[in-house]
Amino acid sequence: MRTSIATVSLSGSLTGKLDAAARAGFDGVEIFENDLLACPLTPEDIRARCADLGLRIDLYQPMRDIEAVPEAEFARNLRRARHKFELMRRLGADTVLVCSSVSPQAVDDDALAAEQLSRLADLAAESGVRVAYEALAWGRHVSTYDHAWRIVETAGHPALGTCLDSFHILSRGSDPQGIADIPGEKIFFLQLADAPLLAMDVLQWSRHYRCFPGQGGFDVAGLVRQVLATGYDGPLSLEVFNDVFRQADAGPTAVDARRSLLVLQETVGRAPLPDPVVPTGVAFAELVTPDAEPLAALLGALGFTRTARHRGKPVALWEQGDARVLVNTGTAPRRDGTRLAAIGLESPDPAAAARRAEALLAPVLPRRRAPQDAPLDAVAAPDGTELFFCATGRPELPDWRADFENTGVPPAQAGIRGIDHLALTQPWHHFDEAALFHRGVLGLHAQESVDVADPYGLMRSRAVTSPDGSVRIALTVGAAPTDDTVHAQHIALATDDVVAAARRFREAGGSLLPVPANYFDDLAARFEFADGELETYRDFGILYDRDDHGVFRHCYTRTVGRVFFELVQRDGGYRGYGAANAPVRLAAQHTARALTGG
Ligand code: MG
Ligand code: MG
């Protein structure tokens, strides 16, 4: 199927938007009138630019407040339309979007609307233009797609059809089943947008919160299935008004947009993508740091041992149980501090996982980072984190550990089993993209987004997980792009006995994040504990949560650079991440930073 994107969905100048759309692989664009008005190029130049880029101009939009008005007003509207049709001829655009009227002059008279739209279509046909009539969810008299279709059907004009827009249909809770009543050839255009489920004024919802399909809460795929069943063969076109996308770079947004359409097409059975290869575990987490010492002390206190070193680079492998942490001192400029730079994902078929990622427009990284390295399939996530698809200890496939030489020290067994989850902080404009990336590219399941109160702003967090929980990644974004706390990342280590692990850590010289006594007083009010249990938690700063499935106990180390560790004990199938405790943890981290001046 052909794919298209409205220029209003992207940031920047019209020419920049066209370049970004073409580079992301779109077949066409909807030219938004304001973009054209602000562009120094002539319509002929824009047409030539699109042709050079291989982009078709699928739609010119919008034309507003046309129909069901007094005759004198309609005459003025036709005059306006004549100018626009001439402009479209110069542009080489053959379909115009007419939105249902919001004018106070418009009357509630379907017959008049049909008659005037028919006269508009007469004029359009003379210029070789088709009119696609769309019901705005906040239209004055026409606000549902079935109503718009009844008017188009009444008009019965070959140059008049309808435009369906998933936002307008689904935001009003209309049933898309009725789309089956519209002949496919009368659906002149299909615009797609998703949105988070919010209870708010529909106009504000539409103008500020639309997002790409798969990033919100609407069943966009269900609607697309209905439309395709009519025989509609026009493009799938994205029309997204979003405050974040308006500010973010057009290039990555266009890639995000097209990835959303690829995933959508796959969902409705129209995109032959390589099947997802769901990761089965975390092979390693790689920390990049300008100074290995603080991390070595922290890992040592946590019970890790340095089992191997890279043959060609300053990278050390620290192990305990199935938890593996790489400490890389080779690539971090000092100002960047310590950060989580790469994740190794255990993959049943690393090459197939990389093929899927590439088909979904993920940047593929060189298979060998250096000539002597073992070949490894890797891609970059939207936040720049490198994702390696690994086969650890499987003789038939290259093992990333082949590049390492043992130190002779065996992996420790000091109570840590493996990596429970990784928390990656996303740049503020990549949050929705990141969730879609991890879902579409890696085949992980995205959980509901939750808001977490930080003392200095609101954070949003969304976890993506494999079905069995062997891979859990918490994606987090803060309100303040420059706040260090929102840029903190962490590695959560799984233990069967968090108290013992915390005690061992402390005895080895580690210091845990102190948690205020008020938190434990509140815990005592909310839950019942055995004698002495709560005092132990208070002593170590162990936080506690419970859901329908089980119990979660967790505590935190101090932060090194942008990274800290969490010790977690998950019992009875607890599924969350202690989100209820996150505000306390964030406040405690702010306090600790203020005390240490770090
Ligand atoms: Mg629309
Ligand atoms: Mg955590």
Side-chain angles (χ1 to χ4, degrees):
M1 299 200 68
R2 298 183 64 257
T3 57
S4 189
I5 185 166
T7 54
V8 71
S9 314
L10 301 170
S11 171
S13 67
L14 179 59
T15 50
K17 292 169 189 228
L18 296 176
D19 288 345
R23 249 183 286 118
F26 282 97
D27 304 301
V29 288
E30 302 176 22
I31 299 236
F32 199 67
E33 187 162 84
N34 284 351
D35 283 321
L36 177 120
L37 300 184
C39 180
L41 299 185
T42 64
E44 288 79 6
D45 288 342
I46 294 170
R47 176 185 196 153
R49 176 72 69 105
C50 287
D52 286 348
L53 292 168
L55 292 171
R56 189 178 185 283
I57 300 179
D58 288 312
L59 191 78
Y60 183 75
Q61 70 134 320
M63 207 179 272
R64 299 184 192 278
D65 298 335
I66 292 284
E67 81 286 13
V69 288
E71 184 55 35
E73 179 68 17
F74 184 66
R76 278 191 289 276
N77 291 347
L78 281 184
R79 182 180 164 278
R80 177 158 61 97
R82 194 169 286 119
H83 277 271
K84 295 302 169 189
F85 295 155
E86 168 58 15
L87 168 70
M88 289 176 63
R89 190 192 56 71
R90 296 171 64 195
L91 265 181
D94 64 5
T95 306
V96 66
L97 179 76
V98 171
C99 305
S100 62
S101 181
V102 298
S103 166
Q105 295 212 52
V107 293
D108 187 7
D109 182 341
D110 287 359
L112 180 62
E115 190 254 329
Q116 291 183 341
L117 285 172
S118 181
R119 285 163 62 195
L120 179 76
D122 276 338
L123 186 65
E126 286 170 22
S127 307
V129 167
R130 309 188 309 164
V131 174
Y133 181 56
E134 170 192 71
L136 292 180
W138 54 89
R140 189 167 174 85
H141 300 293
V142 177
S143 57
T144 61
Y145 77 92
D146 47 321
H147 191 178
W149 162 237
R150 280 200 304 280
I151 291 169
V152 167
E153 193 179 24
T154 303
H157 195 293
L160 178 67
T162 189
C163 169
L164 298 177
D165 179 315
S166 65
F167 180 87
H168 292 302
I169 296 171
L170 299 172
S171 65
R172 293 195 50 107
S174 297
D175 184 353
Q177 299 261 1
I179 292 170
D181 298 336
I182 311 175
E185 69 274 12
K186 294 303 278 184
I187 302 173
F188 281 5
F189 212 71
L190 173 60
Q191 292 178 314
L192 300 175
D194 201 341
L197 302 180
L198 300 170
M200 69 184 296
D201 172 70
V202 72
L203 174 60
Q204 298 304 321
W205 192 12
S206 173
R207 293 271 164 86
H208 302 285
Y209 294 96
R210 287 188 182 212
C211 53
F212 296 126
Q215 297 179 345
F218 290 157
D219 180 13
V220 180
L223 181 140
V224 169
R225 277 197 198 92
Q226 290 283 346
V227 175
L228 295 180
T230 66
Y232 171 78
D233 64 357
L236 300 180
S237 189
L238 296 167
E239 187 198 24
V240 167
F241 307 86
N242 180 294
D243 294 353
V244 173
F245 299 160
R246 277 182 198 277
Q247 300 173 62
D249 271 0
T253 305
V255 169
D256 178 29
R258 203 162 110 71
R259 181 180 299 130
S260 84
L261 278 187
L262 287 167
V263 172
L264 176 75
Q265 286 173 275
E266 178 182 54
T267 309
V268 301
R270 297 288 186 102
L273 291 174
D275 286 338
V277 182
V278 182
T280 54
V282 176
F284 63 81
E286 179 171 348
L287 300 173
V288 163
T289 182
D291 177 10
E293 262 325 295
L295 272 181
L298 190 51
L299 286 164
L302 284 164
F304 282 75
T305 50
R306 197 160 57 107
T307 57
R309 67 175 74 85
H310 196 277
R311 293 177 202 280
K313 283 177 291 191
V315 180
L317 168 61
W318 292 75
E319 286 190 82
Q320 180 172 187
D322 286 331
R324 301 180 200 93
V325 177
L326 299 178
V327 177
N328 182 341
T329 45
T331 57
R334 187 154 287 274
R335 60 179 171 75
D336 286 351
T338 301
R339 62 192 173 85
L340 182 52
I343 299 173
L345 294 168
E346 218 44 75
S347 176
D349 187 343
R355 280 197 296 276
R356 162 101 181 162
E358 188 171 17
L360 284 169
L361 314 175
V364 174
L365 303 172
R367 286 198 87 215
R368 291 174 197 272
R369 292 208 270 189
Q372 70 277 12
D373 286 355
L376 254 184
D377 295 289
V379 298
D383 66 352
T385 303
E386 298 183 350
L387 301 175
F388 289 87
F389 300 114
C390 302
T392 308
R394 277 177 284 157
E396 71 280 14
L397 292 166
D399 191 323
W400 58 277
R401 293 176 304 180
D403 297 332
F404 287 79
E405 163 175 68
N406 289 335
T407 57
V409 182
Q413 298 292 344
I416 305 280
R417 274 193 288 108
I419 290 178
D420 179 89
H421 66 270
L422 298 161
L424 295 174
T425 318
Q426 302 301 302
W428 62 277
H429 53 284
H430 283 310
F431 187 68
D432 290 329
E433 178 185 4
L436 179 68
F437 177 93
H438 287 86
R439 193 165 65 79
V441 171
L442 303 179
L444 299 176
H445 177 77
Q447 296 179 339
E448 285 297 301
S449 171
V450 292
D451 290 340
V452 174
D454 176 275
Y456 301 100
L458 199 63
M459 292 176 56
R460 272 201 301 161
S461 183
R462 188 169 197 186
V464 289
T465 63
S466 61
D468 64 356
S470 57
V471 176
R472 294 184 172 101
I473 300 173
L475 305 166
T476 301
V477 71
T482 52
D483 185 341
D484 275 342
T485 301
V486 304
H487 290 297
Q489 306 160 317
H490 70 266
I491 299 175
L493 302 167
T495 173
D496 293 327
D497 186 343
V498 73
V499 174
R503 180 171 288 124
R504 210 176 292 118
F505 176 64
R506 187 182 280 178
E507 283 167 6
S511 73
L512 290 160
L513 184 73
V515 175
N518 291 343
Y519 169 80
F520 296 99
D521 291 344
D522 180 59
L523 270 192
R526 288 160 58 210
F527 305 108
E528 285 188 32
F529 295 97
D531 278 355
E533 188 182 353
L534 196 56
E535 286 63 36
T536 305
Y537 298 160
R538 192 193 305 260
D539 180 19
F540 289 105
I542 293 173
L543 304 160
Y544 183 95
D545 191 30
R546 198 183 278 179
D547 68 7
D548 293 342
H549 308 278
V551 170
F552 193 59
R553 298 171 180 87
H554 55 141
C555 56
Y556 298 93
T557 70
R558 299 302 180 100
T559 303
V560 175
R562 289 177 52 189
V563 178
F564 60 93
F565 290 85
E566 180 182 10
L567 294 168
V568 316
Q569 180 181 349
R570 227 175 245 284
D571 288 310
Y574 175 91
R575 292 187 188 172
Y577 301 83
N581 297 325
V584 175
R585 185 258 295 173
L586 288 161
Q589 287 176 324
H590 279 292
T591 306
R593 191 178 307 110
L595 288 176
T596 59

